[in-house]
């Protein structure tokens, strides 16, 4: 069975005349220039997009950021939530050989082994194993209920790749920059449709941020993907109309992780003092963002099926009162010890990061703390975390700040997190997660700032692009060229 989304794409393509039309050019912001290295443990932004395009998983994201069938045409979940059973549709690999459940289970299991120590480690911890039940049925068995499994299986990293074979929905026609991608036909009839229309492909390239913006400004590209807060000022400098800027409403973590528990930072109250002193409402006005979601919380208040115990912090204090309290803590520590040394804060390179650092430096100087900006990878006391949530659930946020990911972590919170994961009752699980958030908030190893910023530049010739909460933009819908 062919997914309806692919059928509609083919129909849209068939209805368009190829005369006078040119390929859609997409520039992905990626300084690593590893566009085709889709098998690496850590995928670059460009490689994530290519893998998502040519190596779909059991399920995948559509342009709205919603789950849609991939290799699996349907699935069921057992009543205890410990087994997801997927029916595999009749599909070939890109080389024409049959895709069967055994190969798919093997490919997924191999990637799962990589991710158990990779970026998805906390997200795949619930997966016990993956096995083929019949020629067309794959089962994913869990250690404990994990209602957000589909969102993890749809991540680009979990796209199925077996012995170098991939399954679309797009095929890589040219493994050189720019990459040329087109729809991988699933039947002779679809092959005829594409042949008749001339099969206008996508051209995908990866560039540094300044180059991506300049290509768009000069009309040499139609779409820029992968923008973040630190390179957003380039759009204003280039004079590109704000109507071309699309911001994803993507939840996640955007703040500072404390990595050093020595000296002033050894005490949770002092770590809280740094957070108290920040005026979050005045952090990023130069980026000209409307309604940017500043926050003092670890977990957003609107996470589904979650009732927090922790309220927004310091609601009864003005910013001046918060800074006065923080200043007293600095003075108290200095009286008992010595002057607080300059703290090192690691951030990515870019004008947006420099502006954010200037605002933080000014806020912290008011309480007697000096800071120095260093590049990512350097020794630092605080490191900026800028991650879109793989799924919008309480467990994701807590897991990112736990001992599996962070040098400075609370062992009691970690113990309670494991207890929460083991809870089979969803209400009990949510209650335990709220208790873990309370413990982590008191521990203060993370300074929340606000919502991650993900932006794209979209020309008027592009159809099929939708800003979404997943922060991911599949390339297949972009082949639905407007008439």
């Amino acid at each position: 069975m062919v997914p309806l989304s692919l059928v509609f794409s083919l129909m849209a393509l068939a209805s368009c005349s190829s005369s006078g039309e040119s390929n859609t050019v997409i520039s992905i912001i990626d300084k690593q220039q590893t566009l085709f290295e889709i098998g690496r443990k850590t995928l670059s932004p460009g490689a994530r997009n290519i893998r998502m395009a040519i190596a779909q998983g059991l399920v995948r994201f559509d342009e709205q950021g919603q789950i849609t069938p991939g290799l699996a045409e349907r699935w069921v979940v057992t009543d205890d939530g410990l087994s997801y059973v997927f029916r595999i549709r009749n599909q070939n690999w890109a080389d024409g050989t049959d895709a069967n459940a055994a190969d798919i289970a093997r490919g997924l299991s191999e990637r799962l082994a990589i991710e158990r120590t990779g970026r998805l480690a906390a997200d795949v911890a619930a997966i016990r194993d993956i096995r083929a039940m019949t020629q067309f049925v794959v089962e994913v068995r869990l250690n404990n209920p994990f209602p957000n499994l589909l969102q993890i299986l749809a991540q680009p990293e979990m796209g199925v790749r077996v012995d170098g074979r991939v399954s679309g929905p797009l095929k890589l026609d040219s493994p050189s920059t720019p990459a040329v991608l087109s729809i991988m036909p699933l039947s002779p009839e679809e092959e005829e449709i594409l042949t008749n229309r001339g099969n206008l492909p996508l051209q995908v390239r990866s560039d540094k941020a300044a180059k991506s913006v300049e290509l768009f400004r000069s009309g040499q590209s139609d779409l820029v993907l992968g923008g973040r807060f630190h390179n957003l000022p380039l759009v204003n400098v280039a004079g590109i109309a704000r109507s071309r800027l699309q911001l994803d409403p993507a939840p996640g973590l955007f703040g500072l992780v404390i990595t050093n528990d020595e000296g002033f930072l050894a005490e949770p109250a002092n770590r809280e003092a740094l957070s108290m002193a920040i005026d979050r409402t005045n952090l990023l006005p130069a980026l000209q963002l409307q309604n940017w979601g500043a926050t003092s919380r670890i977990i957003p208040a609107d996470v589904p099926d979650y009732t927090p115990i922790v309220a927004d912090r310091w609601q009864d204090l003005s910013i001046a009162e918060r800074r006065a309290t923080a200043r007293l803590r600095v003075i108290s520590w200095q009286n008992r010890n010595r002057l607080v040394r300059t703290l090192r804060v690691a951030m990515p390179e870019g004008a947006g990061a420099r502006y954010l650092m200037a605002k933080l430096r000014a806020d912290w100087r008011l309480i007697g703390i000096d800071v120095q900006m260093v590049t990512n990878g350097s020794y630092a006391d605080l490191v900026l975390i800028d991650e879109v949530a793989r799924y919008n659930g309480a467990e994701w946020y807590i897991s990112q700040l736990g001992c599996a990911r962070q040098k400075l972590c609370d062992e009691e919170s970690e113990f309670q997190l494991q207890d929460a994961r083991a809870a089979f009752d969803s209400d009990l699980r949510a209650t335990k997660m709220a208790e873990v958030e309370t413990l982590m908030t008191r521990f203060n190893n993370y300074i929340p700032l606000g919502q991650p910023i993900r932006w794209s530049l979209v020309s008027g010739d592009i159809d099929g692009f939708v800003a979404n909460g997943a922060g991911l933009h599949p390339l297949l819908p972009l082949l639905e060229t407007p008439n």
Side-chain angles (χ1 to χ4, degrees):
M1 176 181 292
V2 181
L4 287 178
S5 59
L6 185 51
V7 173
F8 292 153
S9 295
L10 292 167
M11 291 173 61
L13 288 168
S15 68
C16 298
S17 170
S18 62
S19 66
E21 294 184 5
S22 59
N23 298 340
T24 297
V25 179
I26 302 168
S27 176
I28 301 169
I29 297 176
D30 182 2
K31 66 179 182 180
Q32 296 184 48
Q33 301 295 299
T34 53
L35 191 63
F36 303 103
E37 298 180 19
I38 66 171
R40 295 178 63 174
K41 180 175 183 178
T42 301
L43 301 180
S44 69
R48 288 191 87 214
N49 277 272
I50 294 295
R51 184 170 181 129
M52 181 168 58
I54 69 174
Q56 62 188 318
L58 291 171
V59 294
R60 52 191 171 90
F61 289 111
D62 66 11
E63 64 270 31
Q64 302 281 349
Q66 301 299 312
I67 295 297
T68 193
L71 289 170
E73 61 184 4
R74 60 183 182 270
W75 52 89
V76 296
V77 185
T78 56
D79 291 341
D80 60 7
L82 294 178
S83 175
Y84 284 64
V85 180
F86 297 86
R87 170 71 183 185
I88 305 303
R89 60 184 169 87
N90 190 10
Q91 162 95 25
N92 291 338
W93 300 111
D95 64 2
T97 58
D98 292 338
N100 57 61
D103 282 344
I104 291 170
R106 179 164 65 89
L108 279 172
S109 296
E110 290 172 355
R111 188 65 199 188
L112 177 63
I114 293 173
E115 291 301 334
R116 289 201 187 280
T117 59
R119 295 289 295 275
L120 296 181
D123 302 319
V124 300
I127 300 177
R128 176 184 169 189
D129 58 27
I130 302 171
R131 62 174 185 157
M133 300 180 72
T134 70
Q135 183 179 359
F136 293 105
V137 177
V138 169
E139 181 186 24
V140 179
R141 296 190 293 183
L142 306 178
N143 297 312
N144 51 262
F146 184 38
N148 299 107
L149 177 67
L150 295 179
Q151 282 75 15
I152 297 305
L153 294 178
Q155 295 297 320
E157 289 84 353
M158 297 303 290
V160 179
R161 187 169 178 257
V162 183
D163 300 328
R165 293 175 295 169
V166 291
S167 60
L170 302 184
K171 62 179 180 177
L172 185 61
D173 294 330
S174 173
S176 61
T177 302
V180 179
L181 299 172
S182 59
I183 288 180
M184 188 178 80
L186 302 178
S187 70
E189 292 78 12
E190 293 160 7
E191 179 74 63
E192 183 178 355
I193 290 174
L194 296 179
T195 300
N196 289 340
R197 66 166 290 279
N199 192 13
L200 293 175
L202 300 172
Q203 289 189 4
V204 182
R205 53 184 293 154
S206 61
D207 301 284
K208 293 184 178 180
K211 179 68 172 179
S212 285
V213 172
E214 174 55 26
L215 288 171
F216 186 88
R217 186 201 65 79
S218 60
Q220 298 179 68
S221 75
D222 304 286
L223 178 66
V224 173
L225 297 175
R228 298 194 174 204
F229 89 100
H230 54 278
N231 44 45
L232 181 55
L234 291 170
V235 177
N236 294 332
V237 172
I240 295 172
R242 298 291 286 192
S243 61
R244 298 302 178 205
L245 179 67
Q246 293 286 326
L247 297 171
D248 287 316
L253 292 173
F254 182 75
L256 297 163
V257 173
I258 298 174
T259 61
N260 182 4
D261 63 350
E262 299 176 354
F264 179 77
L265 296 177
E267 300 177 14
N270 292 343
R271 300 195 291 264
E272 182 190 23
L274 293 177
S275 191
M276 293 176 72
I278 298 171
D279 183 1
R280 290 165 175 78
T281 62
N282 193 37
L283 272 182
L284 298 175
L287 299 187
Q288 301 178 28
L289 298 174
Q290 298 294 324
N291 302 317
W292 176 63
T295 186
S296 61
R297 307 174 56 90
I298 295 175
I299 302 175
D302 59 353
V303 165
D305 303 318
Y306 182 69
T307 303
I309 298 173
V310 179
D312 290 330
R313 305 181 75 181
W314 318 297
Q315 295 182 77
D316 56 340
L317 298 176
S318 67
I319 184 63
E321 291 170 329
R322 284 161 41 192
R323 287 172 173 164
T325 300
R327 175 61 180 152
L328 288 175
R329 293 183 187 179
V330 174
I331 293 172
S332 174
W333 191 89
Q334 290 174 333
N335 289 339
R336 291 180 284 114
N337 300 275
R338 58 189 181 277
L339 291 176
V340 181
R341 67 171 176 81
T342 299
L343 301 178
R344 296 163 63 91
V345 182
M347 288 194 184
E349 298 177 2
R354 291 192 295 273
Y355 181 81
L356 174 61
M357 189 68 237
K359 300 295 290 185
L360 292 172
R361 182 182 292 113
D363 285 352
W364 285 336
R365 189 165 289 165
L366 293 173
I367 65 170
I369 298 293
D370 288 324
V371 292
Q372 172 189 359
M373 181 176 171
V374 298
T375 57
N376 283 338
S378 303
Y379 170 78
D381 303 291
L382 301 95
V383 177
L384 184 77
I385 180 172
D386 181 11
E387 295 284 346
V388 169
R390 307 280 183 161
Y391 59 92
N392 196 22
E395 183 177 349
W396 183 86
Y397 296 89
I398 292 172
S399 297
Q400 306 313 302
L401 303 176
C403 296
R405 293 291 304 271
Q406 305 302 333
K407 295 179 181 178
L408 177 61
C409 63
D410 180 30
E411 293 183 359
E412 183 181 359
S413 297
E414 190 70 17
F415 177 80
Q416 295 293 340
L417 174 58
Q418 300 307 321
D419 188 43
R421 283 175 172 161
F424 278 75
D425 181 79
S426 58
D427 291 337
L428 177 60
R429 185 184 182 91
T431 298
K432 288 181 174 293
M433 287 292 176
E435 293 171 354
V436 177
E437 182 190 15
T438 301
L439 291 172
M440 283 190 167
T441 300
R442 293 172 182 167
F443 187 69
N444 289 294
N445 69 329
Y446 174 63
I447 299 175
L449 297 178
Q451 182 178 358
I453 296 168
R454 295 293 184 271
W455 59 268
S456 304
L457 294 176
V458 185
S459 76
D461 295 329
I462 288 291
D463 195 19
F465 176 94
V466 181
N468 64 65
L472 293 171
H473 301 284
L475 302 184
L476 174 63
L478 301 178
L479 281 167
E480 299 176 7
T481 310
N483 290 312

